[in-house]
Amino acid sequence: MGSKLEDYVNLRGVLKYIEERRHEDGGYCFVSLLNETNINDTYYAVKIYDLLGMEVSEKEKTIRFLHKSLKPQQAAVAICMAVEGLAILGAKDLAKEGLSLVFKKYKPLEGEFAIGLGGSEEFGTATPLEATYWVLRAFKAVDYRLSSEEKERIKNFVENFRKENAYGVNQATTTMTYQAIFALNSLGYGVPKTKHFHRCEVYGGFTEVPYSLPPYLEPTFYALRALKLLGEKPRYVKGHIQFIRTLQNSNGGFRRSLEMGISNFQNTYRALRALDDILSF
């Protein structure tokens, strides 16, 4: 395997956990006994293999699965995940086909930023910034260039959520602040300096809002991605490594909090990616 992550977590356990949840159609489902393969789990399986520099087993089947999943009734976020997944698997032409579906739901020049936002990637309802973040990831994956007017419209939409030097709906959150600065950065705009992430840093993880507890995996993942983008370093590297290591369950996957929780693919990818980020600071 040869990944530096091997020294910190049980990577064999991770791979066994993912592989056991691959189904005949090339898709993945984190509840191993269910045959309800879906875009979200399949996307994160692809991302995990990509992060580890490994090939997806029976890759052609997974390409077919993601391509077949590109349907108008899917939420914008799911379509974007399928597009990015296809691009990672080397099927860029098929990924580009998916952009026509993105444009049916995401029309910045008409002031429509993800029609029928649908299910969220996170808990509860999807935030307005979330779709923009995923759309821009999909564009980046297939090297799609936006016009300067589209960029300007998207930037103005993102700036609607600014709360001083961070972003959120009612208050600034780690997730939305990262999604906003990722969006601005990928559009080629300057990213505001922010102390938000340091205010959310505890000894072992990050929180969603400043000066709160407990830390969770998703704000930890977003905060570390953001600090990397901003060229800054976390204060408590050892604490964060320990926090992430503690989240690995006996089945090889990762949960989101220290107290409890079941493994899923999303948390497993985030744990590995966050650890990879920490080790590169």
Side-chain angles (χ1 to χ4, degrees), residues 240-256:
H240 300 325
I241 291 172
Q242 192 48 42
F243 170 68
I244 292 165
R245 290 177 74 173
T246 310
L247 301 178
Q248 189 166 23
N249 286 326
S250 57
N251 67 357
F254 286 75
R255 61 185 183 277
R256 68 184 286 258

Side-chain angles (χ1 to χ4, degrees), residues 202-204 207 209-216:
V202 296
Y203 188 81
T207 60
V209 295
Y211 313 119
S212 65
L213 281 170
Y216 286 104

Side-chain angles (χ1 to χ4, degrees), residues 63 86 88 91-93 113 148 174 190 245 256 258 262:
I63 289 172
L86 285 166
I88 291 169
K92 272 204 175 169
D93 290 349
F113 298 89
S148 51
T174 297
R245 290 177 74 173
R256 68 184 286 258
L258 291 172
I262 59 165

Side-chain angles (χ1 to χ4, degrees), residues 59 82 86 88 91 128 165 179-180 192 214 228 254 260 266 273:
K59 185 169 86 168
L86 285 166
I88 291 169
N165 288 327
Q179 289 173 344
K228 206 166 178 190
F254 286 75
M260 57 185 176
Q266 181 191 45
R273 177 85 248 197

Side-chain angles (χ1 to χ4, degrees), residues 88-121:
I88 291 169
L89 292 170
K92 272 204 175 169
D93 290 349
L94 298 180
K96 282 178 179 159
E97 274 181 38
L99 287 190
S100 59
L101 292 175
V102 175
F103 292 126
K104 286 192 170 72
K105 293 166 187 285
Y106 196 85
K107 305 174 187 176
L109 296 181
E110 292 166 39
E112 291 175 350
F113 298 89
I115 301 157
L117 202 49
S120 168
E121 227 260 304

